[in-house]
Amino acid sequence: MTTAPAVPEAGIRAIPSGGPLTGSGALTRLALRRDRIMLPAWVYVVVIGVASNAYTFSKLYKTASQRAALVASGESNPALLFLYGRLNGNSVGALTAWRYGVWGALFAALMSVFLVVRHTRGDEEAGRLELIGSARVGRQAPLASAIAVASLANVVLTALLSAVLPVLGLPVGGSVALALAIGSSGLAFTGVSAVAAQLTSGARAARGLAIGVLGVAFLARAVGDSAGASGPSWLTWVLPLGWTETLRPFGGERWWVLALPVALFAAGTWLSFWLAARRDHGAGLFPDRPGRPAASDALRGPFALAWRLQWPALAGWAAGYAVMFAVCGAAAKGIGQLVGTSGGLTKEFTRIGGQTAIVNAYLAALMLLGGLVAAAYGVSAVLRLHVEETAGRADPVLVGSPGRVRWGLSHLAVAVTGMAVLLAVAGIATGLGYGLAVGGAGGETARMLGAGLAQLPAAAVLAGVAALAFGAVPDGCVAIAWTAVGLAVLLNIFGQAAQLSPWVLDISPFTHVPRLPGGTVGVTPLIWLSVIAISLCMSGLAALRRRDIG
């Protein structure tokens, strides 16, 4: 006697079973569509950064004697070795690999981290993977698609660099080696970030873990390069960023080094799939730390909550500021010798720094850079309001006694405080680095502290733009805020070189900040910038009070 096959109830469609990777192709196409703006932007930044450095070196250092003098200055300066690594020749290609090889690899690694975490742990935390999992999609398909997208991005990045650099006159072999060094670093951190997404239970924790590994890789490489022959130079070989320079593009390539990042990518990919098959949905291999049964007295207001949410990010930014600006400050001692071989490079420093004394121009350019990056932090801190609203976490807060204005003001206060902390760290670290190198650390620290804090009103204006955009145009606030930051960077770094009109340059608030140290201190522009920043923030809070939440 045979039994008839089971017939699904009316209105219910039977979903055929599949393997763990079922639907990977469809999810990959969906991820590429979602990243159609962010992904080309990442690739463009890296390619243009490497290509522009190659073009700049070919124009600023036209003779072999000029390049040899630059190499001698770079090899004798531990701060420059810390920042950029060792030099493997004095050709234009070798200088390009020295100046942007490690940093190009760093940006490729960051691109991979953000892509993988976004499409794995980020989507899982937001509940999108649970919805996708109800269809004919395998358990490990999202992880496979995320790795595929990040790998494809690094392949495209490598191909573009391999095509662009020879057009600029660099040898084909060295160009391909540099492109592979940068792209393989991105592949290595694709594997690292895939593992991090399985270990943690939140997207922010996964990004923090992967970026922490990246920070350790940078420090290991930097210490190994700057320690000298008697120091732990073996640290350069430990982690991927060191492999970028040990490949030696344009300096006698060691092609076998490429096996190291590829092996790390393969091991990370295998381990991430193995871990993904053994954890629960929505949970990580690292258990969540249980919180207190009741909030402490210090966490009973919107300001305390905003600080609790944002202080880990601020601590990470501050640590990065302390290391980078201390090293850059120490490099100021030899900046005159470094740029003395190139009149064009001296002109660039004096243009950005706003004065003729090369050391002061270099330090002022550092403070301008610190102000621009601090503004980026301030914008991200203000846009945390948008994250809280879209994730539905703003509703439980606003149900209680705190009103919308206090809620918004709490995050604005954290943003301004954080920018002030970062600029103070930048000034103090730069002053200590430079002062300890030349003597008189106390005086230089005080001078650079004032130069750093002078950037705060301009940075606050960009944070105010983000606040106004969040209050008035919540759907477009992210694009508006980051466009304002990008416009300020372009105008202040490239505006004068492009010979833009003064009224165009005046659009950026940083154009009106005194170029310190060494420049004339003007109080009036700082007051006006502060008034504009306060007005923008108040207008944003007023708009937030009138519109619907969510």
Side-chain angles (χ1 to χ4, degrees):
M1 179 178 180
T2 60
T3 58
V7 179
E9 296 181 12
I12 300 179
R13 180 172 57 90
I15 299 176
S17 60
L21 299 181
T22 301
S24 299
L27 290 182
T28 300
R29 292 190 294 271
L30 175 62
L32 290 172
R33 177 178 174 80
R34 291 173 59 193
D35 293 332
R36 63 187 180 277
I37 296 176
M38 182 181 71
L39 194 54
W42 274 104
V43 174
Y44 175 82
V45 167
V46 178
V47 172
I48 290 300
V50 177
S52 63
N53 270 276
Y55 178 80
T56 300
F57 275 122
S58 66
K59 296 299 181 182
L60 296 181
Y61 298 93
K62 298 181 179 180
T63 65
S65 60
Q66 287 179 322
R67 295 194 296 270
L70 175 62
V71 170
S73 300
E75 289 178 337
S76 61
N77 193 323
L80 292 177
L81 292 174
F82 187 97
L83 283 174
Y84 304 124
R86 301 176 187 139
L87 293 107
N88 297 308
N90 60 6
S91 65
V92 173
L95 292 178
T96 301
W98 169 68
R99 176 61 182 83
Y100 210 81
V102 170
W103 288 92
L106 181 74
F107 278 103
L110 284 173
M111 174 185 71
S112 300
V113 169
F114 281 101
L115 284 173
V116 172
V117 174
R118 182 189 186 195
H119 294 297
T120 54
R121 181 57 68 179
D123 283 349
E124 187 171 343
E125 187 178 26
R128 284 187 286 270
L129 291 191
E130 188 174 5
L131 178 63
I132 292 173
S134 63
R136 190 177 175 229
V137 174
R139 176 182 174 84
Q140 295 183 337
L143 175 60
S145 67
I147 293 175
V149 169
S151 302
L152 178 62
N154 285 289
V155 170
V156 171
L157 172 61
T158 301
L160 287 176
L161 285 174
S162 300
V164 169
L165 293 180
V167 173
L168 297 175
L170 299 184
V172 175
S175 300
V176 173
L178 179 58
L180 287 172
I182 292 174
S184 63
S185 177
L187 277 180
F189 276 92
T190 296
V192 170
S193 54
V195 173
Q198 310 310 314
L199 295 177
T200 60
S201 58
R204 176 170 295 188
R207 283 191 297 268
L209 180 59
I211 293 174
V213 174
L214 181 59
V216 171
F218 181 87
L219 289 177
R221 193 276 319 157
V223 172
D225 286 340
S226 59
S230 60
S233 58
W234 55 269
L235 286 173
T236 305
W237 288 90
V238 173
L239 291 169
L241 291 185
W243 303 336
T244 302
E245 66 178 54
T246 54
L247 181 60
R248 295 173 62 93
F250 304 101
E253 293 81 9
R254 299 168 173 164
W255 297 103
W256 61 268
V257 174
L258 290 171
L260 298 176
V262 172
L264 180 58
F265 165 70
T269 300
W270 176 85
L271 181 59
S272 64
F273 279 107
W274 186 83
L275 294 174
R278 286 160 175 79
R279 68 172 179 86
D280 293 333
H281 181 84
L285 271 295
F286 291 161
D288 292 332
R289 182 172 61 89
R292 297 179 178 179
S296 64
D297 293 337
L299 199 59
R300 292 190 176 180
F303 291 91
L305 177 60
W307 173 252
R308 174 65 181 82
L309 292 173
Q310 303 224 35
W311 79 260
L314 177 59
W317 281 75
Y321 258 57
V323 173
M324 298 307 300
F325 281 93
V327 175
C328 291
K333 179 182 178 180
I335 196 66
Q337 179 184 5
L338 179 66
V339 304
T341 57
S342 173
L345 190 57
T346 302
K347 182 179 178 181
E348 288 299 308
F349 271 122
T350 54
R351 176 182 63 80
I352 298 176
Q355 47 199 296
T356 56
I358 186 61
V359 174
N360 282 339
Y362 170 77
L363 294 174
L366 280 182
M367 292 302 98
L368 173 62
L369 177 63
L372 291 169
V373 178
Y377 162 79
V379 167
S380 67
V382 172
L383 292 180
R384 182 61 188 264
L385 289 164
H386 179 68
V387 173
E388 295 295 303
E389 180 181 4
T390 55
R393 292 189 292 267
D395 294 333
V397 175
L398 296 177
V399 164
S401 58
R404 298 185 184 187
V405 173
R406 288 183 63 198
W407 175 63
L409 188 60
S410 64
H411 287 270
L412 288 176
V414 172
V416 174
T417 302
M419 289 189 295
V421 169
L422 292 179
L423 291 171
V425 170
I428 293 172
T430 304
L432 284 174
Y434 179 54
L436 292 174
V438 301
E444 292 297 334
T445 300
R447 187 168 74 118
M448 295 309 302
L449 175 60
L453 291 177
Q455 306 289 328
L456 180 58
V461 169
L462 294 182
V465 171
L468 178 59
F470 171 69
V473 195
D475 292 337
C477 63
V478 175
I480 293 172
W482 288 114
T483 299
V485 174
L487 183 62
V489 171
L490 291 175
L491 291 177
N492 286 102
I493 302 300
F494 305 107
Q496 290 185 3
Q499 298 181 346
L500 298 179
S501 301
W503 68 268
V504 176
L505 297 177
D506 287 342
I507 295 175
S508 171
F510 288 94
T511 304
H512 308 281
V513 175
R515 292 291 183 261
L516 300 175
T520 303
V521 179
V523 179
T524 302
L526 299 179
I527 294 176
W528 276 110
L529 289 173
S530 301
V531 170
I532 293 172
I534 293 173
S535 301
L536 289 171
C537 291
M538 292 179 63
S539 300
L541 293 174
L544 174 64
R545 187 177 183 180
R546 290 192 298 267
R547 71 170 177 85
D548 293 335
I549 294 294

